[in-house]
Amino acid sequence: MVRLSLTPNALQILEERYLLRDPDGKVMETPEEMFRRVSEWIAGTERNNREYWEARFFRMMNNLEFLPNSPTLMNAGLPGGQLSACFVLPVEDSLDAIFTSLKNAALIHQSGGGTGYNFSRLRPKGALVSTSKGFSSGPVAFMKIYDAATEHVKQGGKRRGANMGILNVDHPDIEEFISVKTDRVSLRNFNISVGITDRFMAAVEKDLSWGLKDPRTGRAVRNIPAKKLWDQITGTAWATGDPGLIFLDSINRDNPTPGLGEIRSTNPCGEVPLLDYESCNLGSVNLSKMVTAHGGNYEIDFNRLAETVHAAIRFLDNVIHANHYLLPQIKSISLKNRKIGLGLMGWAELLMLMEIPYASTGAVKLAEKLMAFVRKESYKASASLAEERGCFPSWTESRFYPDQKMRNATCNSIAPTGTISVIADTSYSIEPLYALAYRRVGILGGKSQQELNKVFKTKISRMGYWSEHLENTVLQTGSIQKIQGIPEQVKNIFKTSLDIPWEFHLQHQRAFQTFTDNSVSKTINLPAEAGAGDISDVYMTAWKYGLKGITIYRDGSKEKQVLQRCNVS
Ligand code: ADP
């Protein structure tokens, strides 16, 4: 067995947030013991071959080939251990319902989960409230209350919760919503997205007037030019990064159980569209470990990948059984649909190992081939679990019925892997590297220092371009693009996020989305000099590509640059 080897960054994160502590607050397990605790608990749901699966699950985590989402690592085996990362809660139009969901959100945050909500069912600001004869404060005011509550419920005293707030594009308060974050204080613990419909996009394209409707009656209360709203959305996103868009029609076209209701919201980072009260367990395969090397040449090891995907799908299906559900409504719908989301991390490092530039058609084609393979194997694994354990209970009401037996209503999601990729020491999700050097945290109060990405360092040395000058330049600038004497084709392999045109960012998102039944969390990074017109082009192209959501970040547009929007610490 390979010995677990962790970077100082990974160790620090694990010690601060993941490893169990005794009542005096002293860390009482090693990272290896953490993986044992998790594998024992998750394999504990197996009827036969429990020991085999425990060893298998332990091996893939300890080798950093697969990691489940953070709450599973933190809480597996603990009394009342809540293991899911993603939830959607309803926000109905009554004070009672609004504050019931707020309380439930606080409980979910406390357990390490994130929550998404669509506030569009709330009556607009200024509408009459019959009980008090007063006027409603409107959805944005209630979102601010949710935000304030989030601010003060720290997860295990360590990180704040994360929220997704959605308002549909035909809600009368949409303009207030679009600009709510421009003061840079409001909704700090929210990602916000406008719920977009195909009808609205057609109205933008044809420059038509757009009706804002009272959600209680469906009647238009006001008309504005669709284009004006679009310009406000893209202009505000240019200035602050928010709002993103959620494409409700694309999401509902893929809703596996339309009979159980319409999907209105996603989880905080957008990778899982869910019904009200539904939860989802995520996990990610580390692609940088799914390779074989022949000399200095790397290839994807599809056999190992298939084997890992099968074990990971089984692991995530077990999580549904091993989980503790905070509410009966969450338990009921989660057990009915058994949604899981297996995704990937380390895509950028895989491409570097294979010497394929991220900004190339070759990379996009490989993304399609890879994700098609992951989906095929995930579905095979879920189908074989269905043979062994039965289909998910709402299968007869699902799109899979009767042709394909499935254990899970969904199998794949591309999550941001904001923390687990640091634990696994690989690149985030399907994102390109943000820089070729990163800051290593100072252990035990030591000074933080810059360090080169290990894959870059190995590759560039093998290629014969290593020099002290190169090292110093990369440590200072994070890039090799301006170094003389390095051929263009080598520079292309090591382009970072802001060197990559948005068109390629988006093509990668589309390639992965095409073969992902849930959604893909991706940030389209743009350089500081990008204009509002670029944001409009990105958002429009995202819709035309049939994506389920879109998030951009223009360099420097937030005071504190956060690489992953949900990685609030
Ligand atoms: P991790 O790497 O910690 O497993 P990800 O960055 O992949 O998590 O995020 C996956 C999902 O976990 C998010 O979409 C969100 O639902 C949830 N999540 C992430 N960060 C937080 C947070 N600070 N608080 C609550 N939930 C979070």
Side-chain angles (χ1 to χ4, degrees), residues 440-443 445-449:
R440 180 178 142 174
V441 291
I443 288 282
K447 251 183 81 186
S448 69
Q449 59 194 83

Side-chain angles (χ1 to χ4, degrees), residues 36-74:
R36 290 220 178 274
R37 164 171 59 79
V38 176
S39 42
E40 193 184 335
W41 186 251
I42 303 304
T45 66
E46 296 282 346
R47 291 225 191 101
N48 311 308
N49 297 329
R50 183 180 295 193
E51 278 168 24
Y52 168 82
W53 287 111
E54 187 178 327
R56 179 71 190 91
F57 294 158
F58 174 77
R59 182 157 51 93
M60 71 180 173
M61 288 189 286
N62 206 57
N63 291 351
L64 304 174
E65 292 169 340
F66 162 84
L67 289 178
N69 56 210
S70 291
T72 302
L73 291 174
M74 291 169 173

Side-chain angles (χ1 to χ4, degrees), residues 283-552:
S284 300
V285 173
N286 179 356
L287 291 172
S288 73
K289 301 271 184 184
M290 297 294 129
V291 288
T292 45
H294 308 282
N297 300 326
Y298 288 84
E299 275 173 21
I300 299 177
D301 183 341
F302 281 98
N303 287 334
R304 195 184 318 161
L305 180 59
E307 218 204 294
T308 309
V309 166
H310 281 255
I313 292 286
R314 188 175 190 100
F315 179 108
L316 293 174
D317 188 62
N318 288 6
V319 173
I320 298 171
H321 191 71
N323 209 348
H324 172 75
Y325 295 90
L326 293 169
L327 296 173
Q329 298 95 314
I330 293 178
K331 183 169 185 175
S332 163
I333 186 84
S334 303
L335 291 182
K336 251 189 201 160
N337 287 342
R338 306 189 68 85
K339 283 186 182 170
I340 54 176
L342 181 65
L344 304 169
M345 54 182 160
W347 172 235
E349 289 196 352
L350 175 78
L351 289 176
M352 282 198 292
L353 286 169
M354 295 177 77
E355 300 179 18
I356 301 171
Y358 194 96
S360 70
T361 311
V364 175
K365 290 261 169 285
L366 185 64
E368 286 169 358
K369 180 176 165 195
L370 177 73
M371 199 60 213
F373 182 82
V374 169
R375 178 172 76 175
K376 187 178 85 197
E377 295 304 325
S378 300
Y379 274 46
K380 268 203 242 165
S382 184
S384 99
L385 285 171
E387 289 296 336
E388 185 187 328
R389 300 172 169 175
C391 291
F392 60 97
S394 62
W395 175 67
T396 49
E397 295 165 72
S398 80
R399 292 184 194 279
F400 293 107
Y401 182 77
D403 300 330
Q404 188 177 6
K405 287 196 169 165
M406 287 290 276
R407 177 69 174 158
N408 312 90
T410 65
C411 288
N412 301 117
S413 281
I414 308 282
T417 71
T419 315
I420 58 169
S421 64
V422 180
I423 297 172
D425 186 27
T426 191
S427 53
Y428 292 114
S429 186
I430 58 159
E431 299 288 359
L433 292 187
Y434 200 79
L436 299 174
Y438 65 98
R439 197 168 63 84
R440 180 178 142 174
V441 291
I443 288 282
L444 300 174
K447 251 183 81 186
S448 69
Q449 59 194 83
Q450 288 288 113
E451 202 168 271
L452 298 189
N453 173 282
K454 63 175 193 315
V455 175
F456 161 70
K457 193 170 168 177
T458 313
K459 282 308 274 194
I460 202 87
S461 306
R462 269 190 166 272
M463 288 171 157
Y465 295 103
W466 180 257
S467 71
E468 224 171 274
H469 170 66
L470 179 136
E471 179 171 19
N472 289 334
T473 311
V474 174
L475 286 175
Q476 276 162 25
T477 66
S479 168
I480 59 164
Q481 299 306 313
K482 297 212 172 104
I483 300 176
Q484 282 177 0
I486 298 181
E488 275 313 299
Q489 78 214 58
V490 174
K491 285 184 175 172
N492 286 345
I493 296 167
F494 300 110
K495 277 195 171 155
T496 52
S497 217
L498 296 177
D499 303 322
I500 293 167
W502 64 257
E503 288 86 347
F504 275 107
H505 278 278
L506 216 53
Q507 283 180 37
H508 280 253
Q509 186 174 341
R510 174 169 66 170
F512 283 100
Q513 180 64 76
T514 305
F515 301 99
T516 298
D517 47 15
N518 281 307
S519 190
V520 175
S521 167
K522 166 109 185 66
T523 303
I524 309 299
N525 280 290
L526 295 142
E529 59 273 17
D534 291 315
I535 313 291
S536 178
D537 289 347
V538 172
Y539 278 14
M540 188 56 86
T541 312
W543 174 64
K544 290 194 170 148
Y545 278 1
L547 301 182
K548 295 181 181 171
I550 182 83
T551 300
I552 62 108

Side-chain angles (χ1 to χ4, degrees), residues 69-70 85-86 112-114 155 159-162 267-269 271 282 415-420 566:
N69 56 210
S70 291
C86 313
Q155 303 174 332
R159 63 173 191 179
R160 276 192 300 270
N267 69 326
C269 300
E271 70 275 19
L282 307 175
T417 71
T419 315
I420 58 169
C566 269

